[in-house]
Amino acid sequence: MLQRIQPETLDVIRTRTSVRDYATTPIDDTLFEQMITSLLAAPTASNAQAWQFVAVRNPGRVEIVRAFSPGIIGIPPLIMVACIDHRRTKRAPGEASEKLADTAKLCVAMAVENLLLAAHALGLGGCPVGSFRGPVVQKLLNLPAEIEPVLVVPIGHPAQTPVPSKRRESSEVINFEDWRPDTATA
Ligand SMILES: Cc1cc2nc3c(=O)[nH]c(=O)nc-3n(C[C@H](O)[C@H](O)[C@H](O)COP(=O)(O)O)c2cc1C
């Protein structure tokens, strides 16, 4: 099993960072397909896959989504709009799925992280963006009421070489066996 671990996979995880400026180069279809495969491989509560994604690639539509997304800085060739699919979070008769509504946002977030890691592994970069006007984007993209956008994710070729952001020391945030108030400071 150990032989199958590829150190470059860990490097991808360690070096991912948010990319907010993009070159004008379009995203090749083969790269796009690989990102989608990774996105869809994310863990999901009860394997409900209660998500939907809208890939916005038309430059005019990218501009419109950007206009209502203050968190998107540069002009990306692609914006993935990541949504909860509330049609798949409802309790079906005889099924214990009432918790799905609570966990659906977590599942979408996990899919977005897969997407961002795949983008980084492929030499692209992106940023999860929560600062956007949900109801407006919902209307612009013709999303029905049960499809709720929770993140917009601009992706493109980085305009500059990305530099990973700083992280807190592991000693500040990792507790062993139980809570350690003296070390785990806010
Ligand atoms: C839920 C969520 C929402 C975010 N929203 C925004 C945003 O609106 N605008 C933005 O520039 N970055 C946004 N970010 C990116 C964070 O600022 C970024 O992940 C953080 O500063 C750590 O930097 P890194 O991603 O480079 O490691 C968001 C990240 C998360 C997880």
Side-chain angles (χ1 to χ4, degrees):
M1 196 66 178
L2 268 179
Q3 300 93 301
R4 294 184 57 216
I5 294 177
Q6 297 173 319
E8 57 268 31
T9 305
L10 299 179
D11 284 342
V12 166
I13 294 169
R14 279 193 219 105
T15 59
R16 180 220 56 84
T17 193
S18 289
V19 170
R20 297 182 175 87
D21 288 316
Y22 317 96
T24 50
T25 325
I27 296 175
D28 193 80
D29 281 348
T30 55
L31 299 185
F32 179 77
E33 292 304 329
Q34 289 179 81
M35 287 192 289
I36 298 304
T37 307
S38 304
L39 169 86
L40 297 178
T44 149
S46 301
N47 200 14
Q49 301 169 58
W51 52 39
Q52 288 283 331
F53 304 89
V54 182
V56 180
R57 295 188 282 190
N58 174 286
R61 292 185 81 82
V62 164
E63 208 38 61
I64 290 172
V65 173
R66 255 187 96 234
F68 294 96
S69 306
I72 299 182
I73 313 292
I75 303 177
L78 165 69
I79 299 175
M80 289 294 286
V81 180
C83 311
I84 296 174
D85 185 344
H86 288 284
R87 297 170 306 182
R88 296 180 71 92
T89 65
K90 301 227 165 69
R91 185 190 173 91
E95 273 182 27
S97 61
E98 70 272 22
K99 283 207 145 200
L100 289 177
D102 298 336
T103 54
K105 199 180 265 191
L106 300 177
C107 301
V108 173
M110 289 198 172
V112 166
E113 173 67 347
N114 270 22
L115 172 70
L116 291 167
L117 288 172
H120 179 48
L122 295 165
L124 301 165
C127 181
V129 168
S131 173
F132 71 101
R133 287 175 60 190
V136 179
V137 168
Q138 182 151 18
K139 202 163 183 181
L140 287 171
L141 301 181
N142 300 315
L143 301 175
E146 288 178 308
I147 306 298
E148 178 194 357
V150 291
L151 282 171
V152 293
V153 189
I155 295 178
H157 293 269
Q160 297 97 25
T161 308
V163 179
S165 313
K166 288 213 165 34
R167 283 297 185 265
R168 295 170 66 189
E169 291 298 324
S170 81
S171 59
E172 277 187 41
V173 291
I174 307 296
N175 299 269
F176 291 95
E177 318 312 341
D178 62 12
W179 176 244
R180 300 278 307 274
D182 49 331
T183 52
T185 51

